[in-house]
């Protein structure tokens, strides 16, 4: 019986090995079986199909590892780099000595979790020759390093040193001459050559690199460095107003040539880049940098994507592109295309694919983001007129779906293009049920801030004939919605913000305090003070209600910022009034973790003990601010 059991157990263990090798996957087996049926070579890769290893890192057993002694040494190096040196020469000498120790361990250090962090710190202060020393060694193992979770960060850090080292110019050349005896860079090898070497590597395996988690990261960085356009990726969020440029720098002609060659490789694999989440990120970054460095290449690539997607899933109901607008990955790419499209290209895209479909897309959980991008990208009043006429009747439905991004984007574009402002305010009043009777309009701002319809906010039943507005002291503004605050901020910058200002000035002191002490709501007062369409008299009608609550504002994180801003634009009389309210509880204010900043900034101790000096100082400050503001206006 013991023998029988062993046989059964052995069969169970052997079976998985026969069916599936340890390094294989279901994706890998599917195409192979299909190829055998069709009589193809099982080792060949089908067109537009990810390679078997595209999402895997390099085999760990092939990479050298740091010995425990080296791990300890480099950990101490990292700690030392965080400390202050007596001089730049001391830091340079220390770094130079460390790079001597790095020789021979570059690959092991780059692919070690803790070692790579130290190496990144070293590279951020390295000279061109020191950087070249490391990259020249790593260039013999590009794929292993670029596809490694630690190595990818090392390569990214190294690539991003190019603008710093380029700007050093002749100083860098002098340092290189001094270090030639110690640095063993390959003959003729420099940072530009190493970057071009990486370009050749990526071009030869373009699709696998874009489909690999860490390889895609390198491709995106490479596109930015080749173009000389470094993007601020922190702003690349869903619904954000596009990715901002962090900084730009000059690049050699060879980089721009490589940029165009790499960009040309997208066209052969549009299906993958439009549907694969990782690969799509590479194309999105490419479009952003090409828009700034090669607009014609960017426009051509946009056309290639649109033409390909338009030819898929043809439907009699409308444009086949609508299918992709409702897909998370494809819609992200299409949003980026809308951002970078030229005026004519955008107008053509709208007429062919979006016209008549905006309301349906605005109601879709994914498609509504594309509508936001389309509205944001609109640069002409003519196109915006068509967009607004189609979208405005559906504002209440959009609100019901919770897609407030569309509403705030419409308001921002109305402000930017100075078009359809009165029409938008009217539509918003209708959507929040405060358009009629006219007495209800005074309640519009609290409704916008809370994103609640009139009946819900005032807790009344819906009526066939809307009743007149009646003030109710028991109804208070409980919280401020982020999108509601953003909407009111845009409306305050409209050419005629009278209705919004009237509603704001009619709010109770308690509600205004709630707004000022809210993270989102506090920005409304920034808009009130900075809007060029609001007069000083109109501002005072709102701000005078806050003076009685100066102490509460001063001790609140967000309210103190509002009070500080109000103080900066106030006259001497208003400042004295605010200061008098605060000094009545000066000890409490000084002991508050937030309030003590206000006590210091307003010089309240001087106000109490040396009133005349305080007045002279405040008058001088007012003159200085006015002079500075006049210079900025000019």
């Amino acid at each position: 019986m013991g023998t029988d059991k062993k046989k059964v157990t052995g069969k169970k263990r052997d079976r998985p090995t026969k069916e599936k090798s340890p390094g294989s996957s279901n994706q890998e087996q599917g195409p192979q079986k299909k190829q055998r049926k069709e009589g193809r070579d099982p080792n060949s890769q089908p067109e537009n199909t990810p390679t078997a290893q595209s999402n895997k890192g390099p085999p760990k057993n092939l990479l050298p590892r740091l010995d425990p002694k080296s791990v300890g040494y480099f950990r101490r190096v990292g700690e030392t780099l965080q400390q202050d040196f007596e001089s730049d020469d001391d830091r340079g000498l220390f770094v130079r000595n460390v790079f001597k120790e790095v020789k021979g361990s570059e690959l092991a250090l780059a692919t070690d979790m803790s070692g790579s962090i130290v190496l990144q710190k070293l590279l951020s202060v390295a000279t061109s020759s020191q950087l070249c020393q490391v990259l020249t060694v790593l260039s013999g193992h590009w794929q292993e390093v670029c596809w490694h979770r630690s190595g990818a960060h090392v390569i990214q850090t190294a690539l991003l040193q190019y603008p710093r080292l380029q700007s050093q110019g002749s100083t860098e050349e002098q340092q290189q001459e001094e270090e030639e005896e110690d640095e063993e860079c390959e003959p003729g090898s420099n940072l530009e050559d190493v970057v071009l070497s990486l370009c050749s590597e990526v071009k030869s395996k373009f699709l696998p690199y874009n489909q690999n988690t860490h390889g895609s990261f390198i491709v995106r960085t490479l596109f930015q460095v080749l173009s000389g356009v470094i993007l601020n990726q922190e702003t690349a969020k869903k619904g954000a107003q596009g990715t901002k440029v962090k900084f730009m720098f000059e690049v050699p002609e060879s980089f721009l040539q490589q940029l165009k060659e790499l960009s040309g490789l997208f066209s052969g694999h549009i299906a993958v880049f439009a549907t694969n989440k990782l690969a799509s990120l590479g194309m999105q970054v490419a479009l952003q940098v090409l828009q700034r460095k090669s607009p014609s290449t960017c426009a051509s690539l946009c056309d290639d994507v649109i033409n390909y997607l338009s030819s898929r899933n043809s439907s009699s109901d409308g444009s086949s592109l609508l299918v992709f607008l409702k897909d998370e990955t494809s819609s992200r790419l299409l949003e980026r295309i809308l951002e970078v499209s030229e005026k004519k290209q955008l107008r053509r895209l709208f007429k062919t694919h979006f016209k008549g479909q905006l309301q349906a897309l605005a109601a879709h959980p994914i498609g509504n983001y594309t509508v936001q991008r389309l509205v944001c990208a609109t640069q002409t009043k003519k196109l915006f007129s068509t967009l607004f006429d189609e979208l405005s009747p559906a504002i209440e439905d959009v609100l019901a779906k919770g897609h407030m991004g569309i509403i705030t984007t419409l308001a921002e574009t109305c402000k930017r293009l100075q078009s359809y402002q009165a029409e938008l305010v009217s539509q918003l009043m209708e959507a929040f049920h405060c358009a009629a009777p006219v007495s209800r309009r005074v309640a519009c701002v609290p409704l916008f801030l809370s994103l609640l319809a009139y009946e819900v906010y005032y807790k009344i039943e819906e009526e066939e004939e809307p009743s007149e507005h009646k003030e109710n002291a028991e109804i208070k503004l409980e919280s401020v919605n982020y999108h509601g605050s953003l909407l009111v901020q845009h409306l305050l910058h409209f050419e005629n913000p009278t209705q919004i200002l009237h509603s704001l000035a009619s709010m109770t002191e308690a509600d205004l305090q709630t707004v000022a002490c809210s993270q989102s709501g506090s920005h409304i007062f920034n808009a009130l003070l900075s809007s060029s369409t609001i007069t000083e008299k109109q501002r005072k009608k709102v701000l005078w209600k806050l003076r009685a609550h100066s102490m509460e504002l001063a001790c609140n994180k967000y309210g103190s910022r509002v009070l500080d801003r109000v103080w900066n634009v106030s006259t001497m009389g208003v400042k004295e009034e605010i200061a008098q309210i605060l000094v009545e509880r000066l000890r409490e204010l000084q002991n508050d973790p937030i309030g003590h900043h206000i006590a210091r900034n307003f010089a309240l101790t001087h106000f109490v003990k040396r009133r005349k000096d305080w007045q002279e100082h405040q008058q001088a400050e007012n003159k200085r601010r006015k002079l500075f503001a006049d210079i900025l206006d000019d």
Side-chain angles (χ1 to χ4, degrees):
M1 289 179 69
T3 308
D4 293 338
K5 283 184 179 179
K6 285 183 180 180
K7 287 181 179 178
V8 172
T9 306
K11 288 179 181 178
K12 285 183 179 177
R13 288 176 179 170
D14 290 339
R15 191 174 295 123
T17 307
K18 291 177 183 178
E19 292 178 359
K20 183 179 178 181
S21 61
S24 64
S25 66
N26 292 334
Q27 284 183 337
E28 187 179 2
Q29 284 187 343
Q32 288 181 350
K33 287 181 179 179
K34 187 176 180 181
Q35 288 163 351
R36 290 191 188 102
K37 287 180 182 180
E38 295 174 358
R40 294 182 181 176
D41 178 6
N43 294 321
S44 65
Q45 188 66 29
E47 189 178 353
N48 289 340
T49 303
T51 59
Q53 296 180 349
S54 62
N55 286 317
K56 297 178 182 178
K60 293 183 179 180
N61 58 339
L62 297 181
L63 296 173
R65 302 188 66 177
L66 289 176
D67 58 84
K69 185 178 178 181
S70 297
V71 171
Y73 169 75
F74 286 112
R75 185 180 292 115
R76 291 192 296 275
V77 167
E79 293 170 356
T80 305
L81 284 171
Q82 291 179 329
Q83 300 173 4
D84 293 330
F85 288 82
E86 291 185 2
S87 66
D88 292 339
D89 290 339
D90 288 345
R91 175 182 286 272
L93 180 61
F94 175 75
V95 171
R96 206 154 46 236
N97 290 333
V98 172
F99 269 104
K100 290 180 182 178
E101 298 298 325
V102 168
K103 285 182 183 179
S105 303
E106 291 90 346
L107 183 57
L109 196 59
T111 54
D112 180 81
M113 185 177 292
S114 58
S116 65
I117 296 173
V118 177
L119 187 55
Q120 289 176 63
K121 292 177 182 178
L122 283 169
L123 294 178
S124 65
V125 296
T127 63
S128 182
S129 56
Q130 289 166 346
L131 192 64
C132 178
Q133 168 199 329
V134 175
L135 287 182
T136 300
V137 174
L138 298 182
S139 65
H141 310 273
W142 277 134
Q143 182 172 318
E144 289 88 342
V145 181
C146 291
W147 290 18
H148 192 278
R149 63 178 182 177
S150 298
H153 288 284
V154 171
I155 299 299
Q156 185 208 29
T157 302
L159 290 172
L160 292 178
Q161 300 313 306
Y162 186 87
R164 173 179 68 85
L165 295 171
Q166 180 198 49
S167 64
Q168 289 181 2
S170 59
T171 304
E172 184 58 40
E173 293 174 3
Q174 293 174 4
Q175 291 177 343
Q176 187 170 353
E177 290 176 1
E178 294 173 359
E179 296 166 6
E180 275 181 349
E181 294 180 0
D182 298 325
E183 306 295 335
E184 294 180 0
C185 227
E186 289 183 358
S189 176
N190 55 45
L191 190 52
E192 183 179 341
D193 292 336
V194 179
V195 174
L196 296 178
S197 168
L198 179 57
C199 290
S200 298
E201 161 73 11
V202 172
K203 282 193 293 186
S204 65
K205 304 168 187 173
F206 191 65
L207 202 55
Y209 261 85
N210 277 281
Q211 292 174 305
N212 179 270
T213 302
H214 309 296
S216 170
F217 185 61
I218 295 301
V219 172
R220 282 173 270 159
T221 305
L222 187 59
F223 269 112
Q224 294 176 69
V225 174
L226 290 175
S227 64
V229 180
I230 304 300
L231 304 172
N232 185 3
Q233 296 297 336
E234 291 180 3
T235 62
K237 297 176 183 178
K238 198 73 164 173
Q241 302 294 319
T243 307
K244 304 285 176 70
V245 174
K246 201 171 184 179
F247 62 90
M248 297 178 67
F249 58 96
E250 293 297 322
V251 293
E253 192 61 36
S254 59
F255 279 21
L256 295 177
Q257 181 60 37
Q258 290 297 318
L259 176 67
K260 291 181 181 179
E261 290 182 15
L262 280 167
S263 301
L265 298 176
F266 285 114
S267 300
H269 308 281
I270 297 293
V272 178
F273 287 100
T275 56
N276 183 285
K277 190 173 183 179
L278 280 172
S280 175
L281 295 174
M283 181 180 273
Q284 290 178 47
V285 170
L287 288 170
Q288 289 172 300
V289 299
L290 286 170
Q291 179 199 19
R292 294 166 174 86
K293 283 297 174 126
S294 182
S296 59
T297 306
C298 178
S300 177
L301 185 55
C302 288
D303 286 337
D304 288 344
V305 175
I306 296 298
N307 292 338
Y308 177 84
L309 295 181
S310 301
S311 65
R312 307 288 100 182
N313 302 314
S314 56
S315 170
S316 57
D317 297 337
S319 169
S320 56
L321 196 67
L322 295 176
V323 177
F324 296 98
L325 289 171
K326 296 174 182 178
D327 174 75
E328 186 171 2
T329 301
S330 301
S331 66
R332 288 284 185 99
L333 179 60
L334 289 167
E335 287 171 27
R336 206 62 76 190
I337 288 174
L338 291 173
E339 284 179 14
V340 302
S341 293
E342 298 173 343
K343 292 180 183 179
K344 291 182 179 179
Q345 195 175 33
L346 186 67
R347 188 164 59 247
R348 186 170 65 249
L349 191 58
F350 169 74
K351 288 181 178 179
T352 308
H353 303 287
F354 286 91
K355 195 171 184 179
Q357 302 294 334
L358 291 183
Q359 291 189 17
L361 288 170
H364 193 272
I366 294 173
N368 80 89
Y369 291 105
T370 312
V371 176
Q372 291 180 47
R373 298 293 188 190
L374 177 62
V375 175
C376 275
T378 303
Q379 301 173 42
T380 62
K381 291 183 179 181
K382 186 177 180 180
L383 177 57
F384 181 63
S385 173
T386 309
L387 288 171
F388 188 86
D389 289 343
E390 188 173 336
L391 277 173
S392 58
I395 283 180
E396 187 168 356
D397 294 333
V398 170
L399 285 168
K401 290 285 184 180
H403 299 162
M404 270 300 297
I406 292 178
I407 309 298
T408 55
T409 302
L410 278 173
E412 190 278 331
T413 309
C414 285
K415 177 184 74 175
R416 174 167 52 88
L417 297 178
Q418 297 183 348
S419 178
Y420 283 89
Q421 295 180 357
E423 289 82 353
L424 178 63
V425 173
S426 177
Q427 290 286 356
L428 287 170
M429 295 282 191
E430 291 285 349
F432 283 90
H433 302 172
C434 60
V438 177
S439 59
R440 285 191 174 192
R441 295 181 183 179
V442 74
C444 67
V445 169
L447 302 183
F448 295 165
L449 293 178
S450 55
L451 295 187
L452 296 174
Y454 185 90
E455 295 82 5
V456 179
Y457 186 85
Y458 285 99
K459 300 174 183 177
I460 61 175
E461 295 182 1
E462 290 192 22
E463 306 163 312
E464 290 185 9
E465 281 293 327
S467 59
E468 295 287 338
H469 174 70
K470 294 179 181 179
E471 293 293 343
N472 188 342
E474 295 180 0
I475 303 296
K476 295 182 179 180
L477 181 67
E478 296 179 358
S479 61
V480 178
N481 180 278
Y482 166 77
H483 287 288
S485 171
L486 199 59
L487 174 61
V488 173
Q489 289 172 54
H490 291 319
L491 296 178
L492 286 170
H493 283 280
F494 278 15
E495 290 181 344
N496 183 14
T498 305
Q499 288 185 341
I500 307 303
L501 283 168
H502 180 53
S503 177
L504 201 59
S506 300
M507 291 174 66
T508 64
E509 293 181 6
D511 284 353
L512 284 174
Q513 182 187 331
T514 300
V515 175
C517 293
S518 159
Q519 182 177 6
S520 300
S522 61
H523 295 285
I524 288 174
F525 293 93
N526 292 342
L528 179 70
L529 292 167
S530 62
S531 175
S532 60
T533 60
I534 299 175
T535 65
E536 195 65 34
K537 185 177 179 181
Q538 289 172 322
R539 289 192 184 98
K540 286 180 179 178
K541 285 184 179 180
V542 178
L543 297 177
W544 75 270
K545 289 187 175 183
L546 287 176
R547 276 179 273 179
H549 299 273
S550 297
M551 187 65 188
E552 290 79 3
L553 295 179
C555 296
N556 179 271
K557 180 179 179 181
Y558 305 107
S560 62
R561 296 174 186 173
V562 173
L563 185 61
D564 199 46
R565 189 79 188 271
V566 170
W567 178 272
N568 290 337
V569 298
S570 295
T571 60
M572 269 299 298
V574 174
K575 283 187 176 183
E576 288 183 344
E577 187 179 341
I578 293 173
Q580 189 62 51
I581 294 171
L582 293 175
V583 295
E584 291 175 3
R585 298 165 65 181
L586 182 58
R587 183 62 60 86
E588 182 184 343
L589 188 67
Q590 290 174 332
N591 292 333
D592 188 87
I594 296 170
H596 78 275
H597 294 292
I598 291 291
R600 182 194 62 207
N601 294 346
F602 294 2
L604 295 180
T605 305
H606 287 185
F607 177 79
V608 175
K609 297 179 179 179
R610 295 188 291 275
R611 179 72 62 90
K612 189 175 180 180
D613 291 344
W614 181 87
Q615 289 175 338
E616 290 176 356
H617 175 73
Q618 293 302 324
Q619 286 173 348
E621 279 291 302
N622 283 356
K623 287 180 181 178
R624 185 183 64 81
R625 286 197 177 92
K626 188 177 184 303
L627 179 63
F628 187 66
D630 291 341
I631 293 172
L632 288 179
D633 289 341
D634 291 341

